[in-house]
Amino acid sequence: GLLKGCSYSEIIIFLIFVSFSEYQGLVKHTGGCHCGAVRFEVWASADLHIFDCNCSICKKKQNRHFIVPASRFKLLKGAEHITTYTFNTHKAQHTFCKRCGVQSFYTPRSNPGGFGIAPHCLDEGTVRSMVTEEFNGSDWEKAMKEHKTIKNMSKE
């Protein structure tokens, strides 16, 4: 195991470090696409704040997502199976599996320093609750200006 061979004092230091780490209060979720080619892990709350955007692409894809900083996301496998679609400003990176077509995560225009994670692509057992907030992406500039917290969701 991780702490095998460690002294008692090293274990105590490790536990103190873990309790004060940036992941305190977060759980490790895992997930991926439908065919299993793309797999990831993400550290986030067990209580997810989901955005339901109605911009032109999110409306067609039914893209509901929660946002995390890039440092809390790790692609475990499948980089070679991912392709990207962009349009308009090309800030949003709509990534999806080439094999099955599922977008399990992407880089949102609102938070180019983070990832939007599809909660419906997470493995079962780590989500306690979900609250969904409608985001008026069809009037993107106005919605971003008026929203108090969305642009900071990918910050550490």
Side-chain angles (χ1 to χ4, degrees), residues 17-85:
F17 170 76
V18 168
S19 67
F20 289 103
S21 75
E22 67 175 295
Y23 297 134
Q24 187 173 9
L26 304 179
V27 297
K28 182 169 77 172
H29 303 281
T30 56
C33 66
H34 182 260
C35 72
V38 175
R39 296 288 300 161
F40 64 85
E41 68 182 34
V42 61
W43 286 87
S45 174
D47 303 298
L48 300 176
H49 184 104
I50 309 299
F51 289 100
D52 186 3
C53 181
N54 68 352
C55 76
S56 63
I57 192 163
C58 288
K59 189 173 182 178
K60 288 193 181 276
K61 288 193 304 182
Q62 294 294 294
N63 182 25
R64 287 174 295 282
H65 60 278
F66 62 97
I67 299 169
V68 298
S71 64
R72 293 193 190 151
F73 176 87
K74 182 179 180 185
L75 183 64
L76 299 175
K77 73 172 205 172
E80 70 279 8
H81 293 287
I82 295 172
T83 193
T84 303
Y85 172 71

Side-chain angles (χ1 to χ4, degrees), residues 55 57-58 61 63 84-95 103 106-112 140:
C55 76
I57 192 163
C58 288
K61 288 193 304 182
N63 182 25
T84 303
Y85 172 71
T86 66
F87 70 102
N88 193 12
T89 66
H90 303 284
K91 285 190 178 150
Q93 302 289 305
H94 298 276
T95 49
Q103 174 185 283
Y106 81 113
T107 303
R109 179 179 172 193
S110 65
N111 283 267
W140 199 87

Side-chain angles (χ1 to χ4, degrees), residues 135-154:
F135 183 76
N136 187 18
S138 63
D139 193 354
W140 199 87
E141 284 78 10
K142 182 176 185 243
M144 283 298 291
K145 197 161 95 175
E146 291 176 356
H147 200 283
K148 303 292 181 227
T149 59
I150 192 168
K151 57 183 123 332
N152 295 318
M153 299 198 99
S154 64

